[in-house]
Amino acid sequence: MAVFLTSVSSVLVIVLIMALGYILRKTGWFAYSFGGNIASLITKIALPASIFMGVMDHLTRESLLGLGKGIIFPALGVIIGYVIAWSAVKVLKIKPGRRGIFMNAVVNANTIFIGMPLNNALFGEKAMSYFLIYYIINTVSTWAFGVYLISNDDPTVDKSQKKAHKINWKKVLPMPLVGFIVAIVWLLLGIPVPSFMGQTLSYVGALVTPLSLIYIGIVLCDAGLNNFRFERDSILALLGRFVLSPVVLILLIKAGASFGVDLPTLMRQTLVVQSATPMLAVLPILAKEAHGDVKYATDVVVMSTVLFVVVVPILMAILQFI
């Protein structure tokens, strides 16, 4: 019960900051372009700085080996998730223009704008290295394969006319991931971080959590909380994100433990919680580029962002018995 109440308290903090962003956007304090400006600041500057200092503060050359075995579980979880989502698309006859969105909704999470603040609220900075494991897998999954599924689901293009999808390496290697790679190299070389540089990066990195949540509030305001509606395909996507994804990862972790690959408790909790974070905030943008069902993409993103405040405390309570 104590864990449940703690998680509720942590999620309440997140909700209040999101509400602040929503209210300030609704009352006209923030211009329409402000959300995009915040997103750029977070992804290109603040998050790389936060990740770099997280690695420097919480990892050693010896502890890197422990992260290696942890990355197997989310990687397998993503692969299994894609297989199940693809099967569901066929069996349940998800219509063209929604198929790629549906599979991304089930498999890929909003690790930057929700996952990172949520992880900090629930587990603190000591879980940063475990968060990075899921972040890496999720980033590669989204931009190397998820985008392909959406672009290949363009209902306005004849199948014979579709061009081969090329991997956009700028997206597969975004600045937060570059920040992680630089931090690992820095750590392996044993280069000390000057105090002025460390303090600067720490201050800038501290912007990630509040700005990310304010950004989500802005997104919810612009999308309109009264405009979405529950329908079969939306409910299926939500079940895939909040039930299927964490259940698959929990089963993989349990199976690994039975074969002697036992993960630290904090790593298990971090990976499972990240697997149940809301859907990618960029889904409507990707859907629009591929002439997909933008309304459907917006609906599932908004609904998952609202519902995660209920899902996380329940999931945290369940994790105590795993």
Side-chain angles (χ1 to χ4, degrees):
M1 187 64 180
V3 174
F4 179 80
L5 292 176
T6 300
S7 60
V8 169
S9 177
S10 298
V11 171
L12 183 59
V13 172
I14 290 174
V15 171
L16 289 175
I17 301 177
M18 287 169 52
L20 176 63
Y22 182 97
I23 293 170
L24 293 179
R25 175 74 184 98
K26 192 77 172 178
T27 54
W29 278 43
F30 295 152
Y32 182 78
S33 61
F34 187 66
N37 295 336
I38 287 182
S40 295
L41 174 60
I42 294 169
T43 56
K44 296 178 182 178
I45 299 176
L47 188 55
S50 176
I51 288 174
F52 181 88
M53 291 309 300
V55 171
M56 292 295 103
D57 291 339
H58 303 289
L59 280 183
T60 63
R61 279 180 278 191
E62 293 74 21
S63 64
L64 284 176
L65 294 176
L67 295 183
K69 66 178 181 180
I71 206 167
I72 298 172
F73 295 95
L76 288 175
V78 163
I79 293 170
I80 294 172
Y82 275 125
V83 171
I84 296 176
W86 179 83
S87 301
V89 165
K90 298 296 183 181
V91 173
L92 300 172
K93 302 185 185 303
I94 306 293
K95 64 182 182 181
R98 290 186 173 186
R99 295 170 179 172
I101 298 168
F102 176 83
M103 286 186 276
N104 272 273
V106 171
V107 177
N108 297 318
N110 188 350
T111 52
I112 292 181
F113 297 111
I114 291 292
M116 176 79 163
L118 179 63
N119 206 64
N120 285 337
L122 292 176
F123 308 120
E125 285 291 324
K126 60 183 179 296
M128 171 63 79
S129 57
Y130 303 143
F131 163 79
L132 294 175
I133 293 174
Y134 200 91
Y135 168 75
I136 292 170
I137 294 299
N138 190 76
T139 298
V140 174
S141 168
T142 300
W143 299 108
F145 192 59
V147 171
Y148 164 78
L149 293 174
I150 294 177
S151 64
N152 201 47
D153 187 38
D154 188 336
T156 66
V157 178
D158 186 81
K159 290 185 178 180
S160 61
Q161 297 176 329
K162 290 182 178 178
K163 298 180 181 179
H165 171 76
K166 295 182 179 179
I167 296 176
N168 187 337
W169 291 105
K170 290 183 179 179
K171 296 291 182 65
V172 177
L173 290 174
M175 284 306 296
L177 189 53
V178 171
F180 175 72
I181 294 171
V182 171
I184 293 298
V185 173
W186 200 288
L187 183 66
L188 292 175
L189 292 177
I191 304 173
V193 179
S195 60
F196 72 89
M197 177 181 172
Q199 290 181 11
T200 301
L201 292 177
S202 295
Y203 284 137
V204 174
L207 296 173
V208 171
T209 298
L211 288 185
S212 294
L213 297 175
I214 287 173
Y215 170 75
I216 290 297
I218 294 172
V219 170
L220 291 177
C221 181
D222 289 340
L225 293 178
N226 297 323
N227 294 330
F228 66 83
R229 61 190 179 89
F230 289 95
E231 55 176 310
R232 190 202 67 155
D233 291 354
S234 300
I235 294 172
L236 290 172
L238 291 169
L239 289 173
R241 178 93 293 270
F242 290 137
V243 179
L244 174 66
S245 184
V247 165
V248 167
L249 196 49
I250 289 171
L251 292 176
L252 286 171
I253 291 173
K254 296 288 284 184
S258 66
F259 285 100
V261 185
D262 201 7
L263 301 180
T265 300
L266 188 57
M267 181 186 285
R268 293 200 305 267
Q269 293 177 338
T270 298
L271 294 180
V272 173
V273 167
Q274 289 302 313
S275 72
T277 48
M279 299 163 192
L280 293 164
V282 296
L283 273 185
I285 298 173
L286 297 175
K288 185 176 181 180
E289 291 177 350
H291 306 102
D293 192 333
V294 178
K295 180 65 168 59
Y296 173 68
T298 303
D299 282 354
V300 294
V301 169
V302 172
M303 284 188 280
S304 67
T305 304
V306 172
L307 291 176
F308 97 97
V309 301
V310 178
V311 172
V312 170
I314 296 173
L315 187 59
M316 285 296 295
I318 294 173
L319 283 176
Q320 304 309 305
F321 303 98
I322 298 173

